Amino acid sequence: MNTADLGLPVDVPSTALFTDQYELTMLRAALKAGTAGRRSVFEVFTRRLPDGRRYGVVAGTGRVLDAVENFRFDADVLRFLREKDIVDEQTLDWLAGYRFSGDIWGYPEGEVYFPGSPIMRVEGTFGECVLLETVILSILNHDSAIAAAASRMSSAAGDRPLIEMGARRTHELAAVAAARSAYVGGFATTSDLAAGFRYNIPTVGTSAHAFTLLHDKERDAFRAQVDALGRDTTLLVDTYDVAEAVRTAVEVAGPELGAVRIDSGDLLLVAHRVRQQLDELGATRTKIVVTSDLDEYAIASLAAAPVDAYGVGTQLVTGSGHPTASMVYKLVARESGDGTPLVPVAKKSSGGKTSIGGRKWAARRLDADGHAEAEVIGTGPVPADLADRQLLVELVRGGEVVAREPLDAARDRHAAARAGLPLSATQLSRGEPVIPTEYAHEGSGN
């Protein structure tokens, strides 16, 4: 199964080389030592949230499922590995038949997470699980960072819609993933047609300053756009003089003009002036869209302005200052050499890089009002009072994806998850995670 099974038009190519070389050299050594087949459990988590953030947002889960399904070593890839002498013939033979046959559990896409949350758990043999480390982290770190920024922006925007328009500010393929993550985090539309094509995200767009500058007069540009796109279009009014442009826009399109866009200047002041002018001209239903290097703080500062929608680019696709979620993929349990059940393992290190061993569960404890009050993580049996509050869901069973879902499901889930947090979660002032992480059972290595 792949994205085409949801009616989406683009399949994912092989992801086998979206990895670091040491994943393959570890496999090579483990095959030689006879340990590659040991049952193992890896977990994805982050030790801390980006500075000042109150919660994280899980995004990219659907892309991870695509990546795992398409992790295949075809003839060209195997030839490359042989020619570069990266692995030996025994490993090449093993890779030729690679298919992930294990199980994956994880927080469902759109859910929120906190330090220590076992966001994804990958179980299988060491060989098949270790190969997935880089591609899983690549997707989750990028997409979760963008979704967290998008969530903060959508919270600041309230009921006003947000337009994702950052394609020109990042890598062309990252732009598609960013648009997807922004949609999960609460954005309504994207300007990126590849994202619309691949993920069925609503797309929007009208014109840039270049279109106005192309014409001898601003009026000619507005007339051409209205003639082509209709009176409900959005006219860009800050190429020259804003007040004159607004007047011309209403004269050309009439009071049925859909919207005007402001892309520069003191947005708070200009928005008030434009709203007053539009109303005086009878265009009371014409909306105002603002752009221009917005982030969550700028959006919040415009809460009292007569703005109807925001367009966000650079700050969104760069995670608003935090372009990664700093997630790691660690072996937390493995089969022992004598074939006994899984034993917890963990790295012991100074400098904040310690981890907790053992196959973990996670649950969110609620207060009397139904709001989250703690992220509880443990090993072993789940306490009865938390049994119906568990967060991990089954994503892959025996190598088969079992949790494919439309992107709107993740978007709706995030809105519900954020609403279930304490009110302070939406504050933009600096602070600690909005709820603490508690450990019910601690494994070795803490």
Side-chain angles (χ1 to χ4, degrees):
M1 181 182 290
N2 54 43
T3 53
D5 294 296
L6 290 177
L8 303 177
V10 180
D11 293 340
V12 176
S14 171
T15 52
L17 291 185
F18 292 165
T19 191
D20 292 304
Q21 181 167 319
Y22 80 167
E23 314 292 8
L24 296 181
T25 54
M26 282 191 287
L27 171 64
R28 177 179 179 173
L31 286 170
K32 187 174 183 61
T35 53
R38 285 188 178 182
R39 184 76 181 175
S40 300
V41 180
F42 287 82
E43 289 177 350
V44 176
F45 63 93
T46 184
R47 296 183 175 95
R48 64 191 64 83
L49 297 179
D51 188 31
R53 295 287 169 90
R54 305 298 180 90
Y55 60 91
V57 181
V58 178
T61 308
R63 296 209 307 123
V64 167
L65 299 181
D66 288 340
V68 171
E69 281 188 329
N70 291 279
F71 205 93
R72 304 283 187 270
F73 293 83
D74 59 25
D76 289 338
V77 170
L78 294 171
R79 186 181 306 111
F80 164 77
L81 297 175
R82 179 181 290 109
E83 290 174 352
K84 299 299 181 181
D85 196 28
I86 293 171
V87 293
D88 59 7
E89 288 299 323
Q90 178 190 15
T91 308
L92 287 169
D93 290 342
W94 191 93
L95 293 174
Y98 180 86
R99 301 291 187 273
F100 180 72
S101 64
D103 304 324
I104 300 179
W105 290 68
Y107 281 38
E109 190 158 19
E111 183 59 84
V112 296
Y113 70 86
F114 299 91
S117 297
I119 296 161
M120 187 168 286
R121 188 174 70 223
V122 182
E123 304 184 38
T125 66
F126 176 83
E128 64 181 338
C129 293
V130 75
L131 291 183
L132 299 177
E133 175 182 7
T134 303
V135 70
I136 287 177
L137 288 180
S138 176
I139 293 171
L140 292 180
N141 269 314
H142 174 269
D143 289 22
S144 297
I146 305 304
S151 178
R152 285 162 60 87
M153 292 173 187
S154 66
S155 177
D159 294 331
R160 298 170 178 176
L162 290 157
I163 307 163
E164 185 282 313
M165 46 196 306
R168 63 191 62 192
R169 295 291 187 260
T170 188
H171 185 280
E172 66 272 17
L173 298 182
V176 182
R180 183 186 183 281
S181 300
Y183 190 70
V184 170
F187 274 59
T189 55
T190 179
S191 66
D192 191 294
L193 290 179
F197 178 67
R198 181 174 179 81
Y199 296 115
N200 202 31
I201 301 170
T203 60
V204 295
T206 50
S207 68
H209 292 103
F211 185 75
T212 301
L213 296 170
L214 169 68
H215 294 80
D216 295 334
K217 296 180 180 179
E218 192 170 43
R219 179 181 297 273
D220 296 339
F222 289 173
R223 171 56 62 193
Q225 185 173 327
V226 170
D227 287 348
L229 303 178
R231 297 177 184 273
D232 195 40
T233 190
T234 299
L235 296 176
L236 182 58
V237 296
D238 71 329
T239 305
Y240 303 117
D241 179 84
V242 173
E244 181 62 29
V246 171
R247 185 178 305 107
T248 302
V250 176
E251 289 176 357
V252 169
E256 299 85 9
L257 175 62
V260 295
R261 179 163 74 95
I262 306 166
D263 189 51
S264 59
D266 183 334
L267 297 178
L268 179 63
L269 176 62
V270 176
H272 277 287
R273 288 178 175 173
V274 168
R275 181 73 272 160
Q276 180 180 354
Q277 186 180 11
L278 287 169
D279 291 346
E280 290 173 350
L281 293 170
T284 57
R285 296 186 179 181
T286 299
K287 297 180 178 180
I288 297 175
V289 180
V290 295
T291 53
S292 185
D293 292 328
L294 298 178
D295 62 9
E296 60 266 49
Y297 301 100
I299 291 169
S301 73
L302 293 168
V307 172
D308 297 286
Y310 306 93
V312 188
T314 303
Q315 291 301 318
L316 174 69
V317 299
T318 57
S320 194
H322 298 289
T324 178
S326 299
M327 295 177 187
V328 295
Y329 182 97
K330 296 298 182 183
L331 180 66
V332 297
R334 62 163 175 82
E335 183 182 21
S336 63
D338 58 8
T340 54
L342 294 174
V343 295
V345 295
K347 173 183 177 180
K348 293 183 178 181
S349 174
S350 59
K353 284 196 171 185
T354 57
S355 57
I356 297 173
R359 183 180 185 273
K360 300 174 193 66
W361 52 263
R364 193 162 296 147
R365 191 172 67 238
L366 307 182
D367 63 19
D369 296 321
H371 290 101
E373 67 174 10
E375 191 90 336
V376 185
I377 299 168
T379 58
V382 181
D385 61 327
L386 294 175
D388 63 347
R389 300 298 308 166
Q390 294 188 72
L391 292 162
L392 279 79
V393 299
E394 192 176 25
L395 300 173
V396 176
R397 181 192 309 136
E400 298 295 325
V401 173
V402 296
R404 190 84 61 188
E405 63 181 6
L407 194 57
D408 278 322
R411 174 184 168 86
D412 293 343
R413 181 181 297 114
H414 176 62
R418 190 175 66 188
L421 296 176
L423 187 60
S424 57
T426 61
Q427 293 178 349
L428 296 181
S429 57
R430 302 178 73 83
E432 297 299 316
V434 69
I435 60 173
T437 299
E438 299 178 0
Y439 291 93
H441 303 278
E442 293 188 354
S444 64
N446 57 309

